[in-house]
Amino acid sequence: MTDTEIFETVKQNVLKVLPDLRPGDVTTEGTLTDLGANSVDRADVVTMSMEDLGLTVPVSEFQEVHDIRSLVNLLARHA
């Protein structure tokens, strides 16, 4: 599984949770908060992405996630 595939999965879940966004709004440099996601939205994006990718990531590892790129990198390490 490539970083691009993981990013596309995360992006699709962001667009499901935040349907008012355009696909071009979701980039690896941005943050979910900057896109308007509250804490429940962020948890939904992460949970849906892990389910779609068939991954389990310990909650403690999400402390290092500060933007979409770091989320993709974390998920890639567990893929």
Side-chain angles (χ1 to χ4, degrees):
M1 187 174 331
T2 67
D3 287 358
T4 301
E5 292 169 326
I6 293 169
F7 171 69
E8 286 302 319
T9 299
V10 171
K11 181 177 180 176
Q12 291 307 311
N13 286 318
V14 169
L15 295 171
K16 287 178 190 173
V17 173
L18 302 170
D20 292 336
L21 294 176
R22 295 179 314 253
D25 294 336
V26 184
T27 66
T28 57
E29 291 78 30
T31 69
L32 294 174
T33 302
D34 291 343
L35 294 173
N38 62 33
S39 59
V40 173
D41 296 335
R42 293 190 303 270
D44 285 346
V45 168
V46 169
T47 302
M48 291 165 62
S49 296
M50 287 192 309
E51 287 175 0
D52 289 348
L53 297 167
L55 303 175
T56 302
V57 180
V59 173
S60 61
E61 293 191 35
F62 286 95
Q63 293 176 9
E64 64 190 63
V65 172
H66 303 290
D67 57 13
I68 294 172
R69 181 184 312 278
S70 58
L71 174 59
V72 169
N73 290 341
L74 175 62
L75 295 174
R77 284 199 308 272
H78 288 272

